[in-house]
Amino acid sequence: EILPSDWSSDVCSSDLAAERLGVSVSYLRKSRCEGLRKNRTPAPPFVRVGGRCYYRLTDLRSWVDALEARQFV
């Protein structure tokens, strides 16, 4: 295991992040690679550790909240 076990409640893998967000793992991968592009939804914040990407659950919640706020502007 790359991450300490006490992080497991705060951090999730790309698979779990995709499941929680209702998107595909490939969507997360592509959005990370594309960066910020006009008329595209930005990627959720992630942390790269040893070549793997992880997502903080608090960052995922904030990302979703920010997307909701953008829809009402």
Side-chain angles (χ1 to χ4, degrees):
E1 182 70 26
I2 292 174
L3 295 173
S5 60
D6 60 338
W7 283 26
S8 63
S9 62
D10 299 328
V11 177
C12 64
S13 66
S14 295
D15 293 333
L16 185 56
E19 182 180 320
R20 287 180 175 235
L21 294 171
V23 299
S24 66
V25 175
S26 65
Y27 168 81
L28 292 177
R29 187 179 313 112
K30 288 176 187 177
S31 65
R32 285 192 309 262
C33 292
E34 289 179 347
L36 292 176
R37 292 182 58 189
K38 187 176 181 178
N39 298 324
R40 300 280 180 136
T41 302
F46 65 95
V47 177
R48 191 177 304 267
V49 179
R52 294 183 179 173
C53 293
Y54 295 92
Y55 296 85
R56 291 183 184 102
L57 296 177
T58 54
D59 288 345
L60 292 179
R61 288 185 198 103
S62 298
W63 182 74
V64 169
D65 290 344
L67 291 178
E68 288 177 354
R70 284 179 56 190
Q71 292 177 3
F72 293 107
V73 174

